[in-house]
Amino acid sequence: MNRLLASTCLMFGLLGGASLANAAECGSVTIASMNWQSAEVLSNLDKIILNEGYGCSADITVGDTVPTITSMAEKGQPDIAPEAWIDLLPDVVKKGTEAGQIIQVGSPLPDGGVQGWWIPKYLADAHPDLKTIPDMLKHPELVPDAEDSKKGAIFNGPQGWGGTVVTSQLYKAFAGEKAGFTLVDTGSAAGLDGAIAKAYERQQGFATYYWAPTALLGKYAMVKLDPGVPHDSAEWKRCNTVADCPDPKPNAWPVDKVVTLVAKPFSEKVGPEVMSYLEKRSWSNDTVGKLMAWMTENQASGEDGAKHFLKENKDIWTKWVSPEAAEKIEASL
């Protein structure tokens, strides 16, 4: 009995030592949570997986794109920015990379950040010829203006949004008014969402500016219209994004590149299993959109959303982690 007790104590001592070693190898981790839903749930997902699966001591720090990426590029803190939209700050990211402060590790959203003009899927299914913006502009009767059914309508975002400026410029570029369309100012983010939800619930035809991944597109199946032209970055900067530019040309929305940024000092001290996880960890816009829709409907926090995803999507996340980590994470739920 004494030998059995000694052996058992030795075994638990070794396991405890291994756990402490893993924690020491990973150590404390600061994870940036940006102030939008997909970034919030991803930062909480990373926190749970790193803490439960790899013995880290991870905490979340709330920030926004500009201050977070700037701080990482200049100071190497925080350690991880799970969802960094780097096209917003290309010069800062380039400078931080060249200075050896940050590295890009995979992409949490390989589909990229997608903006454009969308129509409901039921409308696209009923009219398979509606594939491009020019296609839609030939049929104002399919997306009627609530104020004047003889005209078509395109819902726009509120003033102050970059997407609102671009939509206004593309409306001019594609000669929307000449085609018999009205550009509808929905007044606010809530107004835009409300206009879409109202039309969708009534199964009405409509066209709108929107972007993915979002909770709304996770709830309502939508199809993005192809602009029918390639993206011209020079023209995009010259006129499509400039509110008072008088002569915009038809153009395609660029796909925003989204990566995970890691502070280089952290990448050099942490174990290879943690870096492997961060490199592999990614989900589709459809997956995260549906998760955000669930969060919105249930008034769930980022932590709630992360736990829900882990419980319901084992087939996805277990491919990101080691079998040992997967077992620990599942046991913690």
Side-chain angles (χ1 to χ4, degrees):
M1 173 64 80
N2 287 339
R3 285 183 180 178
L4 177 61
L5 181 61
S7 298
T8 302
C9 290
L10 177 60
M11 179 182 70
F12 279 105
L14 290 172
L15 289 174
S19 177
L20 289 172
N22 287 338
E25 186 178 21
C26 181
S28 62
V29 186
T30 51
I31 304 172
S33 177
M34 310 300 189
N35 62 352
W36 58 87
Q37 201 175 34
S38 60
E40 179 191 2
V41 69
L42 183 59
S43 63
N44 277 276
L45 184 63
D46 283 351
K47 178 181 177 180
I48 293 171
I49 288 178
L50 292 180
N51 284 351
E52 302 298 338
Y54 295 103
C56 302
S57 178
D59 285 308
I60 291 173
T61 177
V62 179
D64 207 342
T65 301
V66 175
T68 297
I69 294 179
T70 301
S71 176
M72 291 184 75
E74 294 179 353
K75 304 173 184 176
Q77 279 290 324
D79 296 311
I80 305 169
E83 187 180 307
W85 294 55
I86 60 174
D87 289 342
L88 298 171
L89 292 168
D91 294 338
V92 175
V93 173
K94 184 174 183 288
K95 184 177 179 181
T97 302
E98 291 175 347
Q101 291 283 22
I102 53 176
I103 59 173
Q104 298 178 29
V105 182
S107 173
L109 295 172
D111 296 339
V114 182
Q115 299 184 72
W117 292 4
W118 307 70
I119 59 174
K121 186 175 184 297
Y122 55 77
L123 183 63
D125 289 343
H127 300 276
D129 55 322
L130 294 184
K131 297 185 181 301
T132 68
I133 289 175
D135 290 340
M136 182 198 67
L137 293 176
K138 295 174 185 176
H139 297 283
E141 76 280 1
L142 297 180
V143 289
D145 185 351
E147 303 296 326
D148 184 353
S149 60
K150 294 180 181 179
K151 291 185 175 182
I154 302 165
F155 298 151
N156 203 359
Q159 298 304 311
W161 283 10
T164 300
V165 171
V166 173
T167 292
S168 299
Q169 289 296 76
L170 291 180
Y171 173 75
K172 290 191 289 184
F174 283 102
E177 185 175 3
K178 185 178 179 180
F181 278 73
T182 300
L183 191 60
V184 179
D185 183 355
T186 55
S188 65
L192 176 60
D193 287 0
I196 293 170
K198 181 179 179 181
Y200 204 103
E201 295 292 346
R202 295 179 177 181
Q203 295 287 287
Q204 296 172 338
F206 67 93
T208 185
Y209 160 74
Y210 220 76
W211 70 100
T214 48
L216 188 135
L217 292 191
K219 181 177 182 179
Y220 298 122
M222 305 273 281
V223 175
K224 189 168 79 73
L225 293 168
D226 189 302
V229 294
H231 176 66
D232 183 333
S233 58
E235 186 62 28
W236 186 264
K237 293 177 182 178
R238 181 193 75 84
C239 199
N240 294 120
T241 56
V242 181
D244 58 358
C245 181
D247 60 338
K249 306 293 190 297
N251 209 339
W253 292 83
V255 175
D256 289 309
K257 186 177 181 181
V258 185
V259 304
T260 293
L261 284 182
V262 175
K264 194 169 183 181
F266 172 77
S267 72
E268 292 172 343
K269 76 170 185 178
V270 77
E273 284 196 339
V274 170
M275 293 303 296
S276 175
Y277 157 68
L278 293 173
E279 289 168 1
K280 293 178 181 177
R281 186 262 289 118
S282 67
W283 46 18
S284 68
N285 284 355
D286 182 62
T287 296
V288 70
K290 288 176 180 175
L291 175 59
M292 288 191 289
W294 178 87
M295 290 170 63
T296 300
E297 290 172 2
N298 291 276
Q299 298 183 330
S301 66
E303 183 179 1
D304 295 333
K307 289 180 178 178
H308 176 78
F309 172 80
L310 290 169
K311 290 175 182 177
E312 300 296 326
N313 297 274
K314 185 179 177 181
D315 59 319
I316 296 177
W317 65 264
T318 51
K319 296 175 183 176
W320 305 340
V321 301
S322 66
E324 295 79 12
E327 189 174 342
K328 295 175 184 176
I329 294 162
E330 194 166 17
S332 74
L333 298 175

